[in-house]
Amino acid sequence: MFKEKPVISNQHGALAMAILPFIYAVIESGFTPLYIFFGLSWLFLYFFSYPFLSLFSKKPTERNKKWAIIYFVLSLLFALPILYSNPTILQFLLIILPLGLIQIYFAKQKDERNLWNDIAGILTFGIMGMAAYYLPTRQYNIEILLHPTLFFIATTFYIKSMVRERKNPIYMEISIAIHLLLAFTYSLSPMQAVFFAYLIATVRAIIVPSFGLNVKQVGMLEFPIIGVFLISLIW
């Protein structure tokens, strides 16, 4: 079963987006061994989404079916200690499931790059971060959802302006405008480190489009930007 190459998305930037809210939650709430199980369960659930959604966007293949099942089973196994410890965490499924249906819809339409589909994914990442924070604290922390979501929406417009919509100047203008608006907003808040992170991201959104980078280079550049943002959140 495991001799063939696993089905894994090559969108490494999306994986970084999925992990950041979880790491943010772990640091804000304090580490507990249950986070090992939560992190692995969430990782395999993320891996599951690619072959699963491919069943709707492409002609279903036995390989995608098999790996979707493998990832889902692994995610479920690692989730069992979490559900035993705190079964009320299942309440977050009430939000995640509708977001998943949105992604299935766009997969069926073969329009996975749609902005609303991107936002549904970003919200899912943030909700999982909130769930992680809730696990040991049994408290809701909207900031775990809010700050990464705003940053990733701004990043999404930037990425679109660099890749799929590079010939559409409106996306670059929106990208710069959102970055400037959020930088200004955080400049008025106590979160000055986040304001500094937005300054860096804004400079990137303004000058990098003139560099003529390819898709891989654009993606690689996002890792240090996301790293700076994470550091700013926990500063």
Side-chain angles (χ1 to χ4, degrees), residues 81-177:
I82 300 167
L83 298 177
Y84 178 79
S85 172
N86 188 354
T88 59
I89 201 170
L90 286 172
Q91 64 187 286
F92 291 94
L93 286 178
L94 297 176
I95 304 175
I96 292 175
L97 287 177
L99 293 172
L101 291 176
I102 291 174
Q103 293 177 292
I104 289 174
Y105 168 78
F106 283 110
K108 286 184 175 180
Q109 300 298 314
K110 295 180 172 57
D111 190 18
E112 296 94 333
R113 303 298 184 182
N114 189 287
L115 177 63
W116 292 109
N117 189 54
D118 292 336
I119 292 176
I122 291 169
L123 287 172
T124 300
F125 302 157
I127 295 298
M128 288 301 294
M130 282 189 66
Y133 185 90
Y134 179 86
L135 178 61
T137 65
R138 297 180 185 262
Q139 296 177 352
Y140 305 101
N141 188 340
I142 193 67
E143 291 190 13
I144 303 295
L145 168 67
L146 178 64
H147 302 308
T149 296
L150 292 176
F151 184 80
F152 291 149
I153 288 176
T155 299
T156 296
F157 274 100
Y158 162 73
I159 295 295
K160 286 186 178 295
S161 73
M162 291 289 293
V163 184
R164 293 181 64 85
E165 302 292 342
R166 65 172 60 195
K167 295 182 180 180
N168 187 347
I170 293 178
Y171 273 83
M172 186 172 72
E173 292 169 1
I174 294 175
S175 167
I176 295 173

